[in-house]
Structure formats: structure tokens, C-alpha cells
Amino acid sequence: MNNSVMSVTAETSQDPMGLDTPLAPSLGAISSVSSMASWSAALFLTTFHILLGTSTSVPDEVDGRSIFYKHHDAKFYQSGAFVIGRLVSTIPQRAIEITAFGIPLYFLVGLARTAQAFFTYLALLVCYTIGLKMMFGILAQILPKKANVQGVSTFLVLICTLFGGFVVVPNAIPFYYKTWIYWMNPMTWAMQGLLSNEYNSAKYENLKIPPESFLTYRGFKPGREWVGYSFAYMIPFTLICALILTIVLRNVRIEPERAIKKKKKVAVGEVS
């Protein structure tokens, strides 16, 4: 273990989870690992907020199934056209939401103020959000009730959070989980891309402890090329989820439950 990693170990022993308040770094100098840990916590809270918000909005899509069935039976469009249209129409709305949420957080927290880092940050969040929307959308089409959708969504939120690289650092995840759950988790790639984008900016060039050592200690990959790898995962992930959603819409049909009113029998001479 080199000196920089040993320094990281000494610093993070005071705050092993990196759960300092995210606003603290913007108020002082960035000379300690605790500051970098706080920025990492801010980025984690960003990805978690998006994950939680997307999961809670999915049960409402159950109500829209009957509309799709009606249009599909009338031959308005095929399942693939519906999914493509939904994917394309989602982009502007998600971009506006991420911009409204991401810009205040970015500058309040005090992340790297360069155009490249800023727009890469927004692009990563947009890709991440659209991918989650497609993934959770599959649940709304294969589960019968809103309660079922909410329950499975909550379980996926738990899995994504635990194996996202922050709550449990990648170095502590068992090998038999890391080989598939960790690397298949969209939150993992969002965190990796955001951290690589932030800590490879010019803001951190003169630190006493290189940010690469901090990322390595936390179990993340230090190179900036991992920003590209994050896009290379999340874009195909979104397309694969869209393909699965198309197949599900074509082959799975869950009719809504309709209330059956029982007619009351009225005897002759009685007033109903």
C-alpha cells in the first residue's frame, strides 16, 4: 500500500461512510479526504433521490394499461411503436426535471465548475433516469396490482442502493455478488461515472492526496475513461429494457378488475 492510500485510510477512519453533510465542502478548502467523501455522499444522494422518485411514480402506470390495450386492439399502433414513442417523449421531460434538480444541487454542493464536468454530469443523470424509467416500467406491465408493483419496486431500490458502491463499498462486496449484481446495477455505473467525472477535473490537481487514491481506496475505478464506460453501459441498458418492455406488451395482458354490482330483487308490492 503506497503512502497516498495510507493517508486516505487515516483520514477516512474518522468518517468511514463519508456521510458528512454534503454542503460542508463548499464552505472550506478541499484539503482533506473528508471533503472528497462528502462530495461522494452528495453524488450518492443525487442518484438515490432519482432512484426513489422513479420507483414511487411507477404504480401510477398501472392505470394506463387499459388505455394501451384499447388503442392496441383498435390497431392504432404496435407495441414497439408505443415503446419507442414513450422513450423519445420521455427525454425532454426527464431533461427538464434533471436540469431543475441538478443545477441547484451542483452549485450548492460546490462541484467542479467547468463546462465539461457540468454537462457530463447532467448527461449522466438524464441517461440514468431514462434507464430507470424503462426498467421500472416493465414491472408495471407484468404485475397485476399497484401494491405488487410498489412492493417489487421497493425491493429493487434496496438492491440497487446496497450494491451501488456507496452504502457497501465495492471492495467489501462478496465476489459472488460483485460479479453480477454489482456490475448489472445501473446505480453502480451512475456513481462510477459521476465520481470519475468529478475527481478527474482540474479542480483536484493540486490536492495533497490524489483523488485517484481516494477512488481506489473506496473501490471505484480512477480513470476518466470510466465516464465513457458508464455511458456505454447505461445507453444499451435502456435499449434492452425497452426491448423487454416491447415483448412484455406484446405477450402479457392483464385486464383490469371490474366491480360487479349485484341487482337487488324487489318483490311485488315492495318499493325499492
Side-chain angles (χ1 to χ4, degrees):
M1 183 179 293
N2 55 37
N3 293 334
S4 59
V5 175
M6 292 177 65
S7 300
V8 172
T9 305
E11 291 274 359
T12 53
S13 62
Q14 301 174 0
D15 183 27
M17 290 295 293
L19 291 173
D20 293 345
T21 175
L23 294 178
S26 60
L27 305 177
I30 52 173
S31 59
S32 66
V33 175
S34 61
S35 296
M36 287 190 285
S38 297
W39 272 302
S40 300
L43 294 175
F44 164 75
L45 292 176
T46 303
T47 58
F48 179 75
H49 172 80
I50 294 172
L51 176 66
L52 191 61
T54 305
S55 68
T56 54
S57 66
V58 172
D60 296 333
E61 296 184 17
V62 174
D63 296 330
R65 288 191 306 214
S66 58
I67 299 175
F68 168 76
Y69 296 153
K70 182 178 180 180
H71 290 176
H72 187 266
D73 292 341
K75 308 298 182 183
F76 281 6
Y77 41 69
Q78 296 181 350
S79 302
F82 172 77
V83 173
I84 293 174
R86 179 180 173 180
L87 176 61
V88 174
S89 64
T90 299
I91 295 176
Q93 179 184 359
R94 299 303 164 193
I96 293 173
E97 292 176 356
I98 293 302
T99 301
F101 167 75
I103 291 179
L105 183 140
Y106 192 91
F107 290 103
L108 284 173
V109 170
L111 299 176
R113 296 188 180 184
T114 62
Q116 181 183 15
F118 175 68
F119 287 109
T120 302
Y121 160 85
L122 290 181
L124 283 167
L125 293 185
V126 170
C127 289
Y128 173 60
T129 305
I130 295 175
L132 290 179
K133 190 68 176 178
M134 284 292 154
M135 179 183 74
F136 284 113
I138 298 172
L139 300 179
Q141 304 301 327
I142 63 176
L143 297 173
K145 298 180 180 180
K146 289 184 177 181
N148 304 127
V149 175
Q150 188 63 63
V152 177
S153 298
T154 303
F155 176 73
L156 286 180
V157 168
L158 174 65
I159 295 298
C160 290
T161 304
L162 286 179
F163 295 96
F166 183 81
V167 175
V168 181
V169 295
N171 290 339
I173 298 175
F175 175 77
Y176 45 85
Y177 287 141
K178 191 173 183 178
T179 52
W180 61 290
I181 294 182
Y182 177 76
W183 292 113
M184 290 175 61
N185 187 354
M187 191 177 191
T188 296
W189 291 95
M191 280 291 296
Q192 177 65 68
L194 291 171
L195 291 173
S196 296
N197 175 62
E198 176 65 21
Y199 293 130
N200 284 280
S201 62
K203 177 179 180 179
Y204 302 91
E205 290 180 353
N206 298 321
L207 284 183
K208 178 181 178 182
I209 299 174
E212 293 82 3
S213 300
F214 172 77
L215 291 176
T216 302
Y217 173 77
R218 297 288 294 179
F220 290 98
K221 307 298 181 181
R224 185 169 181 80
E225 65 274 9
W226 284 89
V227 176
Y229 295 157
S230 298
F231 282 113
Y233 175 83
M234 287 190 289
I235 293 175
F237 174 82
T238 302
L239 297 177
I240 290 172
C241 288
L243 177 61
I244 295 174
L245 182 58
T246 301
I247 296 172
V248 168
L249 288 172
R250 186 175 300 170
N251 297 282
V252 178
R253 186 178 180 116
I254 303 175
E255 295 291 349
E257 296 181 357
R258 302 182 184 278
I260 300 176
K261 294 184 178 180
K262 295 182 179 180
K263 294 183 179 180
K264 182 180 179 181
K265 294 182 179 180
V266 180
V268 178
E270 290 183 0
V271 179
S272 58

